[in-house]
Amino acid sequence: SPDYWVPHSRDRELAALSKAVNEGETVFLHGVGGIGKTECAIQLANRLNPPRGAYLVHFQNSMKETILRMNFSGYQYVPKQKGLSLEELEEAEYRDRLDILREHYRDTVLIIDNFDADNKTLDELRREDAFKDFIGLDLKRIFTTRYPVGRKEWEIRELSETALLDMMRYYCSDSSITDAQYLAILKEIQNHTLTAMLIAKTLEESWGEVTPAAILDALRNSRLAQTHY
């Protein structure tokens, strides 16, 4: 993930999202891959400033599997009865972990990152019993997803060109590269956040061997794999 956040680059989105979360809504930050959903979710959690902290959890194909793989410090499940089948043990541990979330994670924010599954639709994921269990917990919930959710105020779109220029100059210290050269690159990549960051890092780390002109040529001729990044 990027280690730089452009100040005020998402103020409008964060204001709308903060309002929704504080009103008890389960928020789904949606958009294409690499646009900055995770970073936006982290900034949203910082803005919400929950009294007992915020946690980022990577989604694991289902909400039940995600809860079963959450890392609780010092936690080790001990079965309360003997002779259970593997399926029964898993269900018992799942219920135990739900109790931990219910009792110890109030007043926290949980970010479920990359809420996507290759073989399931968003509606299918949301109909799962474990998803309903999770939604019923008394905590603030933020999901990031590539699924189109339909709520425009929750959609994370391209950063402004000004913000992207700021980011690219942060990652590339070469002052000889002009705004016009960066803007030409941004046009070719359709202002895609992650791609812009990778290109800026490539320009910085190549020590001049890769130039903006070479990047543009590769982009325009579909030969980006022949550059150094």
Side-chain angles (χ1 to χ4, degrees), residues 2 29 31-32 41 46 88 112 117 120 127 149 168 175 220 229:
L29 279 64
V32 300
N46 289 337
E88 289 169 332
I112 307 300
K120 299 175 187 175
R127 284 198 299 266
V149 173
M168 293 184 84
S175 59
R220 289 167 177 165
Y229 93 100

Side-chain angles (χ1 to χ4, degrees), residues 6 158-169 186 191-193 196:
V6 182
E158 298 83 2
L159 287 167
S160 69
E161 286 181 343
T162 301
L164 288 167
L165 280 171
D166 183 318
M167 184 186 73
M168 293 184 84
R169 291 208 175 278
L186 290 171
N191 290 1
H192 186 262
T193 312

